[in-house]
Amino acid sequence: MTNIIKASTVPVINNKFPASLPEPWLKQWNELLEKQTATQRVEWAMENLPSQFVLSSSFGIQSAVMLHMLTKIDANIPVLITDTGYLFPETYQFIEQLTDRLNLNLKVFSAKESAAWQQAKYGEEWATDETSLKAYNRRNKVEPLERGLSELQAGTWFSGVRRQQSTHRESLSVVSILRGRFKVHPIIDWSNKDVHQYLTANNLPYHPLWEEGYVSVGDVHSTRPLTAGMDESDTRFSGMQRECGLHTDGDGI
């Protein structure tokens, strides 16, 4: 991906297709979309895939890219975040900052039991073993996300995941079908350099913890800064797993 430029004003998007799952077309679509820019991918999705359109965001290190790009095309697109109750104070401040600056249509979803209630009931699941971690992620991330997408009647879900981020994500395509919805990854092939160029060109910030060595930011209890000798995957969940289940068909990780 080269020639990063500022997001520009685009024509009004008119959705063409009703909700459907034409899987035989996916390969052809992706062959086309691999050759397009991120903004062109968003425009194509909004012209050809079923509404409602929803953008999920973790408000992580690079999240300003997708928040800026999508709201330039659809200023009122719902932005869905799952709040575990254990996000860094800097993350909550980042949410407030970007919501104000970009006038985001923010939609917050959380587990049905509070973080304190869960800890009293289940203990520190994230620090126990992989099975407990899966249960924690399923309850605090996957279920609230799915509930949010359902309540928002999402037909197409945009996400800012990139192939460079993990082994699992290396195999992801621009558009796919996940848990009965279309899922679109406009910046799937972007490098860290591409992200930096877009943020710089549009005067957008990284997450505040970027300056402290964090390359990925989740919960306080399961995120560490990247230090010498570590792989990026070691910075989340003590290296047990990188995926929390939001972007896979799994039940928690």
Side-chain angles (χ1 to χ4, degrees):
M1 220 286 306
T2 57
N3 299 324
I4 303 297
I5 60 173
K6 294 186 179 182
S8 58
T9 303
V10 298
V12 174
I13 300 299
N14 293 308
N15 180 254
K16 292 179 179 178
F17 294 162
S20 58
L21 301 176
E23 290 200 52
W25 299 354
L26 285 176
K27 181 178 179 181
Q28 181 179 348
W29 287 353
N30 279 301
E31 288 175 352
L32 166 70
L33 293 168
E34 282 289 340
K35 302 172 185 176
Q36 296 188 343
T37 66
T39 299
Q40 288 172 335
R41 291 165 181 168
V42 175
E43 293 172 13
W44 180 93
M46 289 188 174
E47 290 171 351
N48 293 285
L49 299 182
S51 56
Q52 299 290 330
F53 302 109
V54 174
L55 168 63
S56 68
S57 181
S58 65
F59 286 83
I61 296 298
Q62 65 174 40
S63 291
V65 170
M66 285 290 290
L67 292 166
H68 181 266
M69 185 182 297
L70 268 289
T71 53
K72 281 290 184 182
I73 297 171
D74 179 357
N76 199 46
I77 188 169
V79 176
L80 193 165
I81 179 172
T82 56
D83 178 17
T84 64
Y86 289 108
L87 302 182
F88 284 84
E90 291 88 349
T91 299
Y92 291 112
Q93 293 163 2
F94 195 46
I95 294 170
E96 294 288 340
Q97 175 189 356
L98 290 179
T99 298
D100 182 64
R101 174 172 172 178
L102 301 175
N103 194 28
L104 301 178
N105 181 15
L106 189 67
K107 306 293 183 181
V108 183
F109 288 85
S110 301
K112 295 179 180 179
E113 297 171 320
S114 70
W117 192 327
Q118 288 185 61
Q119 189 164 344
K121 187 174 180 179
Y122 305 110
E124 297 183 350
E125 293 179 291
W126 57 83
T128 305
D129 54 35
E130 193 167 303
T131 299
S132 298
L133 176 58
K134 284 183 179 181
Y136 170 82
N137 283 326
R138 184 171 60 248
R139 191 183 309 111
N140 290 280
K141 299 179 182 181
V142 179
E143 191 282 329
L145 174 79
E146 287 301 305
R147 176 161 31 93
L149 291 172
S150 295
E151 289 187 16
L152 295 169
Q153 299 182 319
T156 300
W157 161 30
F158 290 94
S159 168
V161 299
R162 297 184 293 117
R163 291 181 182 134
Q164 192 178 67
Q165 294 171 321
S166 72
T167 302
H168 164 73
R169 297 177 186 185
E170 288 176 358
S171 63
L172 295 179
S173 55
V174 177
V175 61
S176 60
I177 298 169
L178 180 64
R179 298 192 288 269
R181 295 182 181 86
F182 284 102
K183 188 160 183 277
V184 183
H185 309 118
I187 61 171
I188 190 67
D189 55 348
W190 281 29
S191 66
N192 290 332
K193 181 179 179 180
D194 294 325
V195 169
H196 178 72
Q197 288 179 340
Y198 187 95
L199 292 174
T200 301
N202 291 282
N203 192 30
L204 294 166
Y206 280 99
H207 187 288
L209 291 176
W210 170 254
E211 298 295 335
E212 297 183 28
Y214 287 82
V215 294
S216 177
V217 177
D219 291 332
V220 172
H221 51 62
S222 57
T223 308
R224 296 186 293 169
L226 183 68
T227 57
M230 290 176 62
D231 183 83
E232 187 171 331
S233 62
D234 296 330
T235 66
R236 298 289 294 277
F237 310 122
S238 300
M240 279 193 282
Q241 291 281 354
R242 173 62 190 266
E243 297 295 339
C244 65
L246 298 182
H247 305 290
T248 70
D249 275 312
D251 60 355
I253 292 183

